Amino acid sequence: MIVGVLGAGQLARMIALAGLPLGLDFIFLDPSVDACANRLGEALIGDYNDPELLAQLAERADVVTYEFENVPAEVAEFLASHTQVYPSPKALAVAQDRLIEKSFFRDLDIPTPDYAAVDSLENLQQAMSTLGYPAILKSCTQGYDGKGQSLLKSVDDLTSAWELLQGVPAVVEAFVPFNREVSIIAVRSVSGETVFYPLSENLHRGGILRVSECRADDAMQQQAEAYVSRLLEALDYVGVLALELFEVDGKLLVNEFAPRVHNSGHWTIEGAETSQFENHLRAILGLPLGSTAPVGKAAMVNFIGGLPETEELLTIPHAHLHLYDKAPRKGRKVAHATVRTDNRQQLSKSVKQLSTLADQVDDS
Ligand code: AMP
């Protein structure tokens, strides 16, 4: 079986690392010659909308998936008309536009922060008179890891925030004074079989994920599963999906979803019976899904902008290092480390040590 992947970054790399023991072969399409998954399969190097390369990918791959959601709609449609593509172009289309995504949630009775669509400064001023401060202005498309976003603290911020967007359509949403951020990684297979991982509790800084911890038996698990189930069903979804949520006053509000494997699920490599990467492959190939049961207690720390010394990191008890084979660059995710142990105190201690290392090499 040959699995085609759009994108050859660290997510594609970890998908391939999970697929090789299952006897799968991989073919990647990515513009970068030294994309970090390339050495794990065959590399097609060029633009995502290069018709010749897309035709090759569609012809050679038994199934195509992707590691990022900003795949142009026409590319996903083209591939889907020639081969199996999971998740579907429809799931991509919903995830690519914050406004479409939020109204999709609303239609499914999945609560979100209050929001309004914005396409002019006057519009924004009007919306803010009912929404109240603070709020966040986000571009509808092309935003991730906090990019294309501005915090609005008072009326004085409106003009500069709107100008920063350079006229692209946007959403303004109420700032949520959350107690914590969580995500749920769900998997639905071609047959409709669905499984959920325990919630991940996530810490962000500057809009970028820093630490995720597996929260087995979390009081919010059921609620999160109910919301993500509605989404999976409505999209007739196939593959791994990550739903990001805010917990505020004992309730969950949905922020957004990613139609792909997700950074907040990296702890599943060592911390769950089956990783999110393996289950994504099982789902899109119509294979039985693997158990999502946690194996002890686990957490993950991201390395951003700079790499830790391997030897120093591996002295930390129960730490496992995942290097992405990417050149360090400001704000770039270059590695992560997981801690897995049966002892909660040890988990906290090791995560603290890893976080200190991550802060030392972080240049953002
Ligand atoms: P996003 O790109 O929407 O995932 O936002 C990145 C991060 O910004 C989130 O993980 C939160 O930490 C923060 N954030 C986004 N939207 C809100 C909001 N409405 N209220 C509070 N924090 C937010």
Side-chain angles (χ1 to χ4, degrees):
M1 273 293 214
I2 301 181
V3 178
V5 188
L6 281 175
Q10 70 266 20
L11 299 180
R13 178 180 164 95
M14 288 185 271
I15 289 173
L17 286 169
L20 296 174
L22 292 174
L24 302 173
D25 290 310
F26 289 86
I27 176 165
F28 306 100
L29 172 56
D30 193 290
S32 170
V33 183
D34 47 25
C36 69
N38 281 346
R39 65 161 69 175
L40 295 170
E42 193 178 328
L44 301 175
I45 305 193
D47 283 345
Y48 293 117
N49 51 10
D50 181 316
E52 223 164 275
L53 294 179
L54 282 174
Q56 269 192 58
L57 185 68
E59 213 216 337
R60 306 266 307 286
D62 297 294
V63 56
V64 173
T65 189
Y66 30 78
E67 64 155 10
F68 62 104
E69 54 270 48
N70 289 321
V71 176
E74 62 279 9
V75 168
E77 299 288 355
F78 169 83
L79 290 168
S81 64
H82 289 81
T83 186
Q84 308 272 26
V85 176
Y86 297 122
S88 68
K90 161 95 194 227
L92 274 184
V94 175
Q96 277 173 3
D97 188 304
R98 288 189 192 275
L99 197 53
I100 297 173
E101 184 184 20
K102 283 190 193 310
S103 56
F104 203 78
F105 288 141
R106 286 257 160 117
D107 291 347
L108 295 172
D109 247 338
I110 299 175
T112 66
D114 288 335
Y115 69 91
V118 170
D119 58 11
S120 70
L121 180 57
E122 295 68 47
N123 226 223
L124 175 61
Q125 287 160 337
Q126 217 168 22
M128 285 313 298
S129 64
T130 48
L131 212 53
Y133 294 92
I136 302 189
L137 184 65
K138 301 179 176 180
S139 63
C140 281
T141 59
Q142 303 293 332
Y144 65 96
D145 282 350
K147 292 191 175 70
Q149 300 190 11
S150 301
L151 180 64
L152 308 173
K153 289 192 192 136
S154 76
V155 68
D156 298 337
D157 294 331
L158 298 191
T159 308
S160 56
W162 174 249
E163 280 171 2
L164 215 61
L165 284 177
Q166 300 184 320
V168 301
V171 179
V172 64
E173 63 183 55
F175 184 87
V176 180
F178 55 77
N179 307 105
R180 57 181 185 141
E181 288 188 81
V182 296
S183 56
I184 184 160
I185 312 280
V187 197
R188 188 169 180 272
S189 84
V190 173
S191 70
E193 183 190 0
T194 301
V195 292
F196 310 95
Y197 286 93
L199 286 190
S200 303
E201 188 172 312
N202 306 321
L203 283 181
H204 293 81
R205 203 166 65 213
I208 305 183
L209 183 68
R210 304 280 156 167
V211 181
S212 278
E213 183 176 334
C214 164
R215 304 294 304 181
D217 305 318
D218 195 282
M220 292 292 142
Q221 181 78 27
Q222 241 187 335
Q223 187 68 86
E225 285 186 14
Y227 293 155
V228 78
S229 296
R230 277 180 224 169
L231 191 59
L232 293 171
E233 290 297 322
L235 292 169
D236 192 17
Y237 193 87
V238 174
V240 161
L241 180 148
L243 185 65
E244 296 184 47
L245 312 112
F246 302 122
E247 185 195 315
V248 59
D249 300 333
K251 292 197 195 97
L252 291 177
L253 295 178
V254 166
N255 178 23
E256 60 182 358
F257 79 93
R260 54 171 169 78
V261 289
H262 195 255
N263 197 171
S264 67
H266 290 0
W267 62 262
T268 62
I269 297 176
E270 286 89 6
E273 201 165 315
T274 317
S275 78
Q276 63 163 342
F277 302 100
E278 181 176 338
N279 258 340
H280 181 65
L281 290 166
R282 291 190 188 207
I284 65 173
L285 292 166
L287 295 168
L289 298 181
S291 164
T292 53
V295 182
K297 304 180 190 332
M300 180 238 42
V301 176
N302 268 342
F303 286 85
I304 297 159
L307 286 167
E309 285 294 333
T310 297
E311 212 171 317
E312 190 181 359
L313 188 144
L314 296 181
T315 58
I316 298 175
H318 309 288
H320 301 270
L321 177 60
H322 297 257
L323 298 172
Y324 301 158
D325 195 13
K326 284 164 71 176
R329 204 164 60 207
K330 190 175 165 57
R332 195 180 204 200
K333 291 174 182 168
V334 286
H336 76 263
T338 312
V339 181
R340 199 218 64 78
T341 164
D342 292 328
N343 182 310
R344 177 154 297 286
Q345 267 178 336
Q346 182 60 58
L347 182 80
S348 307
K349 213 168 143 193
S350 292
V351 166
K352 219 167 160 188
Q353 284 177 280
L354 284 173
S355 298
T356 305
L357 269 189
D359 284 345
Q360 282 165 3
V361 297
D362 187 349
D363 58 1
S364 55

